Amino acid sequence: MIKGIFPTEKFKAFETPFYYYDMALLRDTLDTIRRETDGKPFHIHYAIKANANPEILRLIASYGFGADCVSGNEILRALECGFSANKIAFAGVGKTDREIEIGLDNDIFCFNVESMAELEVLNDLAKARGKKAPVALRINPNVDAHTHRYITTGLNENKFGINEQDLPAVLRMIADGGHINLIGMHFHIGSQITDLSSFEDLCVKVLELREWFHTQGITLPVINVGGGLGINYQHPNHCPMADFESYFRLFDKYLKLEEDQTLHFELGRSIVAPCGSLITRVIFVKEGIKKRFLIVDAGMTELIRPALYQAFHHIENISSDKPLTPYDVVGPVCESSDVFARDFTLNESQRGDLIAIRSAGAYGETMASTYNCRIIPSSRFSDKL
Ligand code: LLP
């Protein structure tokens, strides 16, 4: 079994659990994205929700990428960490007045508007400021992302986006309101998408809608296809990077842009998931009746993905090279769902060993909670040990 390279000796001195970020891998990933989009009218807005750690954000911002935010506080965090306001897209089905005002007052790039009710409020708040709000309509494309149902967003049954049949009414509302500047359309079909044909389906839909807008005499300079590119959770050492080449090539091939049209992406997971690991210590090895449990000091409070989405994360014992043996790796939280993996083969483990739960850089630290009065985990960076 190939293992990741971790500075185990240094880790021994640290209190666990903590998130460890391989900053060289993150840089490699950002370089790759830059290379794959170079010379194309493609713009990346990093989805802050995936990981809002200031160190991570500063590095991503230093590449000149924009941000995709889903709350007023995410906008403020993005600005603090060096993202330009004119590259911030603001999405979300439930933006409060205060959050909309943060966007307006900072002159962000675009509001991804998800309903007529939101459009009306945005128009009024922009009017009160004597401004025009830049808007991309989030349209529900009814495209199946073939991913876990909790992270599918682009189907008619989901709460996200405006339905196609409402578009004529939306356009009337924009014309009547006078304080909306319609610049684009926005889509996001789901997350952890590994079957790229779902993105082909999305492209077909986008072209269809672009035609419809043309029939209304409208040309939209911005097309935003959201995020969703998946990573390989099974083999983090063999496949440490998402397939950006195929991903961007697909959009280049299937979504021919018009002159002055730009294509926007809101990638989160594919940028930050591989570089993060949750480092935890074995508290006890417990012999069950049919099982052997490895009880570690991290739980669903630090990484909720396995409990919430039955997500798979590769696990390694980075202190042991003894023979392999199966364990149920579980946390200390008082919930039966506090399980990282069942019957997972690890090097034989003992109390005090350090365990790395891999590919946890996205939706790990940001989704941590204080349930059971636990403490939000700290973070460490490979270039600052
Ligand atoms: N844009 C919008 C409008 C989104 O809702 C999302 C993610 C993204 C972009 C970024 O998608 P990504 O490239 O990261 O797939 N907590 C779940 C994932 C929730 C995704 C929510 N929306 C998980 O741990 O799998």
Side-chain angles (χ1 to χ4, degrees):
M1 186 206 289
I2 292 193
K3 282 210 192 195
I5 312 274
F6 289 94
T8 307
E9 280 311 307
K10 284 193 176 145
F11 284 0
K12 281 184 183 163
F14 301 151
E15 235 177 80
T16 46
F18 61 89
Y19 273 94
Y20 173 69
Y21 295 107
D22 178 344
M23 299 305 265
L25 177 57
L26 179 56
R27 278 201 183 82
D28 249 15
T29 305
L30 296 167
D31 285 334
T32 303
I33 295 174
R34 188 186 259 171
R35 207 174 44 244
E36 296 299 336
T37 54
D38 202 33
K40 300 189 177 83
F42 289 3
H43 297 268
I44 309 294
H45 304 263
Y46 164 66
I48 304 273
K49 66 172 86 66
N51 189 315
N53 187 302
E55 293 282 332
I56 305 273
L57 294 188
R58 276 192 213 104
L59 180 62
I60 298 173
S62 76
Y63 276 70
F65 293 156
D68 156 41
C69 299
V70 287
S71 73
N73 287 346
E74 279 195 357
I75 297 178
L76 296 175
R77 173 80 62 95
L79 292 171
E80 265 164 40
C81 292
F83 288 92
S84 309
N86 64 8
K87 291 182 181 170
I88 292 180
F90 184 17
V93 289
K95 304 178 186 77
T96 65
D97 289 14
R98 177 188 160 267
E99 292 179 312
I100 291 175
E101 283 162 3
I102 290 173
L104 286 171
D105 292 341
N106 285 288
D107 294 319
I108 61 167
F109 165 64
C110 187
F111 290 84
N112 295 336
V113 168
E114 307 229 8
S115 65
M116 286 207 259
E118 178 188 342
L119 202 57
E120 198 176 339
V121 172
L122 180 57
N123 185 78
D124 290 350
L125 293 173
K127 187 174 178 184
R129 284 167 166 67
K131 290 188 172 180
K132 270 195 155 189
V135 162
L137 297 173
R138 177 168 181 176
I139 303 168
N140 186 337
N142 199 24
V143 166
D144 194 344
H146 303 290
T147 184
H148 191 279
R149 70 188 175 90
Y150 284 9
I151 48 176
T152 287
T153 47
L155 291 175
N156 280 342
E157 69 205 48
N158 299 127
K159 69 179 174 184
F160 301 97
I162 294 169
N163 296 318
E164 253 180 277
Q165 62 265 30
D166 291 335
L167 286 176
V170 167
L171 293 187
R172 280 196 299 278
M173 194 179 228
I174 291 175
D176 293 346
H179 287 268
I180 298 290
N181 182 17
L182 181 60
I183 61 168
M185 8 178 196
H186 172 244
F187 307 85
H188 175 74
I189 56 173
S191 198
Q192 183 50 19
I193 298 169
T194 48
D195 174 1
L196 293 188
S197 68
S198 298
F199 292 117
E200 275 178 47
D201 296 345
L202 174 62
C203 289
V204 170
K205 198 72 211 177
V206 172
L207 294 178
E208 217 177 278
L209 281 158
R210 186 170 73 182
E211 265 324 292
W212 182 81
F213 277 102
H214 281 327
T215 64
Q216 306 301 303
I218 297 171
T219 303
L220 297 172
V222 170
I223 297 180
N224 184 336
V225 288
L229 175 61
I231 64 146
N232 187 328
Y233 280 97
Q234 263 71 26
H235 303 289
N237 297 313
H238 292 289
C239 307
M241 215 183 287
D243 188 359
F244 294 109
E245 191 192 338
S246 306
Y247 176 72
F248 289 118
R249 195 173 349 108
L250 184 150
F251 284 98
D252 206 24
K253 180 170 171 195
Y254 291 99
L255 232 175
K256 291 281 171 240
L257 296 173
E258 294 168 346
E259 218 175 286
D260 297 328
Q261 209 159 44
T262 49
L263 189 56
H264 297 248
F265 300 87
E266 299 173 337
L267 295 174
R269 184 193 314 269
S270 53
I271 298 181
V272 289
C275 75
S277 296
L278 178 59
I279 308 296
T280 175
R281 261 192 184 86
V282 177
I283 313 179
F284 301 119
V285 180
K286 176 172 165 178
E287 299 291 340
I289 303 220
K290 288 190 183 153
K291 300 249 182 195
R292 243 176 165 190
F293 296 101
L294 214 57
I295 303 174
V296 297
D297 65 3
M300 62 193 290
T301 39
E302 286 71 41
L303 180 63
I304 199 172
R305 303 194 68 257
L308 192 56
Y309 318 110
Q310 299 78 48
F312 175 90
H313 284 262
H314 183 73
I315 302 178
E316 286 167 16
N317 182 328
I318 59 173
S319 301
S320 164
D321 52 13
K322 291 189 195 139
L324 296 171
T325 175
Y327 293 98
D328 276 18
V329 183
V330 303
V333 175
C334 297
E335 295 279 341
S336 301
S337 59
D338 187 26
V339 175
F340 288 119
R342 292 194 163 87
D343 292 316
F344 197 93
T345 308
L346 284 173
N347 295 97
E348 210 173 289
S349 307
Q350 60 184 27
R351 175 173 167 80
D353 280 358
L354 288 166
I355 304 290
I357 304 179
R358 304 292 303 277
S359 318
Y363 309 107
E365 203 183 327
T366 42
M367 294 181 79
S369 81
T370 57
Y371 181 45
N372 286 193
C373 282
R374 289 173 62 81
I375 292 166
I376 297 291
S378 59
S379 47
R380 305 212 173 242
F381 306 89
S382 58
D383 54 357
K384 286 200 177 156
L385 283 181

